[in-house]
Amino acid sequence: MSHPANDPGARPEPEDDGVGRPAAGKAAPTAADLATQYAAKSGVRRNDAGQIDVLSSIGGVQGLAESIAPGLVFTILFTITTDLQVSLVAALAVSAVFTVIRLVSRTPVTQALAGLVGVAFCAFVALRTGNAEDFFLPGFFINGGYIIAMTASVVFRWPFAGLLFGFLRNEGIEWRRDAARVRAYSIATWIIVSVLALRLVVQVPLYLMENVAALGSTRVAMGLPLYALGMWLAWIVSRPRG
């Protein structure tokens, strides 16, 4: 899909009216437009066989490393040294290195930069409380927020999986006219919610027990790789029949 800025046949954008608002005549984005924009920015991709490309969807090997390495380094160093500050600095350094690599190689830095900000915030929380396990605390709230949002999407008949996969399958939001497709995408969304809920079920007790080694290990194992598996299962379950 070509970007309007690079498409010689694209319709020019209306000019600004001088007060920061689009000139009259520009239609407000429709639900289909918003769904398409969301899906396009999600990073989820299909391979040549028409199946979801799991590795590409999580940013490839580099994206996987960016997701796993900071938490893994923090867990290993703290387990060995029990020095919170050293462990936090090391985690931040690893995340910063990935961002620099992307800058030098001139590849998109959004994922790495978001990871760096996330690690910095986790480090800030742990440093303020003085508890190593609090490095993982913000992740619980983010995870819970996704669970609430995805559950709401099913309740309001806009299941998250449909918004994401409908774009990849060229269904747009037409699938909402078919009760069977809505049901399939709702089930697919529940699969993803189950993965997120499983993280909390396993990791919250470890957090309460202040078991940093086990918490960090399960965070790595149940992080992006498990989420990617959930996305793949959701894709399979929601595939069109016939």
Side-chain angles (χ1 to χ4, degrees), residues 74-87:
F74 171 81
T75 301
I76 292 174
L77 277 182
F78 184 79
T79 300
I80 294 174
T81 68
T82 67
D83 190 315
L84 180 58
Q85 290 191 2
V86 168
S87 303

Side-chain angles (χ1 to χ4, degrees), residues 27-120:
T30 64
D33 294 333
L34 294 175
T36 299
Q37 291 172 16
Y38 168 75
K41 294 178 180 178
S42 68
V44 179
R45 300 288 182 268
R46 294 177 67 175
N47 56 29
D48 294 337
Q51 300 299 320
I52 188 171
D53 189 333
V54 175
L55 185 59
S56 175
S57 297
I58 61 177
V61 174
Q62 185 172 353
L64 184 62
E66 290 169 353
S67 171
I68 290 176
L72 183 61
V73 167
F74 171 81
T75 301
I76 292 174
L77 277 182
F78 184 79
T79 300
I80 294 174
T81 68
T82 67
D83 190 315
L84 180 58
Q85 290 191 2
V86 168
S87 303
L88 292 175
V89 169
L92 279 168
V94 169
S95 189
V97 166
F98 280 119
T99 303
V100 171
I101 289 174
R102 284 190 176 268
L103 287 171
V104 171
S105 61
R106 297 185 179 181
T107 54
V109 299
T110 303
Q111 182 173 344
L113 193 58
L116 177 59
V117 173
V119 172

Side-chain angles (χ1 to χ4, degrees), residues 27-227:
T30 64
D33 294 333
L34 294 175
T36 299
Q37 291 172 16
Y38 168 75
K41 294 178 180 178
S42 68
V44 179
R45 300 288 182 268
R46 294 177 67 175
N47 56 29
D48 294 337
Q51 300 299 320
I52 188 171
D53 189 333
V54 175
L55 185 59
S56 175
S57 297
I58 61 177
V61 174
Q62 185 172 353
L64 184 62
E66 290 169 353
S67 171
I68 290 176
L72 183 61
V73 167
F74 171 81
T75 301
I76 292 174
L77 277 182
F78 184 79
T79 300
I80 294 174
T81 68
T82 67
D83 190 315
L84 180 58
Q85 290 191 2
V86 168
S87 303
L88 292 175
V89 169
L92 279 168
V94 169
S95 189
V97 166
F98 280 119
T99 303
V100 171
I101 289 174
R102 284 190 176 268
L103 287 171
V104 171
S105 61
R106 297 185 179 181
T107 54
V109 299
T110 303
Q111 182 173 344
L113 193 58
L116 177 59
V117 173
V119 172
F121 181 70
C122 292
F124 171 76
V125 173
L127 201 58
R128 284 295 299 270
T129 65
N131 299 319
E133 64 273 14
D134 286 341
F135 178 78
F136 303 101
L137 184 60
F140 295 148
F141 290 98
I142 295 172
N143 204 81
Y146 278 123
I147 290 174
I148 293 172
M150 290 187 190
T151 298
S153 77
V154 174
V155 171
F156 291 106
R157 294 178 60 80
W158 284 90
F160 165 80
L163 297 176
L164 191 60
F165 298 154
F167 169 78
L168 295 178
R169 289 174 169 141
N170 297 318
E171 294 177 295
I173 60 170
E174 291 301 311
W175 52 268
R176 297 193 71 245
R177 301 174 183 270
D178 185 341
R181 298 299 295 139
V182 173
R183 185 163 52 252
Y185 280 133
S186 295
I187 293 172
T189 302
W190 284 126
I191 289 175
I192 301 172
V193 169
S194 297
V195 168
L196 300 178
L198 182 61
R199 290 177 180 172
L200 297 182
V201 169
V202 173
Q203 295 172 15
V204 169
L206 296 175
Y207 170 80
L208 296 175
M209 290 187 291
E210 302 179 5
N211 191 333
V212 175
L215 180 57
S217 299
T218 55
R219 177 61 65 90
V220 170
M222 303 181 75
L224 198 53
L226 183 62
Y227 181 74

